[in-house]
Amino acid sequence: MFLALAGWWAYDYYAAHIATIEPSSISASLETTSAESHVAPTASAPADAAPVDQKPAEPTTFSTGNMEEALRVLGSDPTPESLQAVTGALGQLTLPLQGDSGAARALNTRALALSNAEMYASAVPLLAEAAAVDPRDAEIRENYAYVLWRSGDPVRARGFAMDSVMLAPSRASAWANLGHVLALDGEGDAALGCYKAAFILSANPDNTIEFFRKRLEVETAPQLLQAITRFLERHDATLAATPVPASDPAVP
């Protein structure tokens, strides 16, 4: 693991507090400063791929229990040790069976084109379908949460943003996206914790700070601007110059 071990006692404590609900299934790092860096496609597919007949995705029923507890444990200023314990515990959750990855990615690619053109509402049904076709794809669920909150629905985005973190607990962009959703939902302290988690997990901390700086230039929602400003005021001067543990090679 790329974060310093907190000791077996710490892991057992956090794991015990997070895994209070028995799961049966669950629903790009910030290396660049692009506003769409966390929704960059990772697989190519025909843009005109036919939609798959599938019921729209729903967030998992236990996402609230596990992720709300994880957020409580992290607080607004998590340490690398507490974050490692949380990601380790979330990593023990049972994953759903992988669906049709190719079909899901084809839908995802079509949705990304719309998202990049800021046609977020039009991307929503495509990503809803993609998330249902392959419930194990963390990026698709992250993208779905992103277009939902961009479309003005942070409440519905919440469950899918939580799902994406549970599917890929070491994914920096998933934590940042969840932070945005929580900020828009009025949970500024929890958003700060997610932003700090994204910073710790990022492969490029300086670019992560720059990513948040640029958010101040383009975002308009007061809750989001306030949360990002608080994060930068607290961490910009200190964290940007502080060495962090090397990232796990398996984590972007």
Side-chain angles (χ1 to χ4, degrees), residues 158-176:
R158 183 190 185 100
F160 292 102
M162 288 182 169
D163 284 353
S164 67
V165 170
M166 288 191 294
L167 282 164
S170 295
R171 185 177 172 88
S173 61
W175 283 101

Side-chain angles (χ1 to χ4, degrees), residues 19 38 57 59 70 74 94 97 101 141 149 156 169 173 196 243:
H38 66 291
L74 286 180
T94 303
L97 295 176
S101 178
R141 273 182 140 64
W149 73 258
R156 182 160 174 76
S173 61
K196 176 72 176 292

Side-chain angles (χ1 to χ4, degrees), residues 21 26 51 56 63 73-74 89 105 110 127 137 175 180 218 234:
I21 301 176
I26 59 176
S63 63
V73 169
L74 286 180
R105 283 289 168 159
R110 293 168 60 195
L127 285 166
D137 193 311
W175 283 101
H180 295 334
V218 299
R234 180 182 293 183

Side-chain angles (χ1 to χ4, degrees), residues 38 48 106 116 142 191:
H38 66 291
D48 57 351
N116 290 335
E142 180 184 338

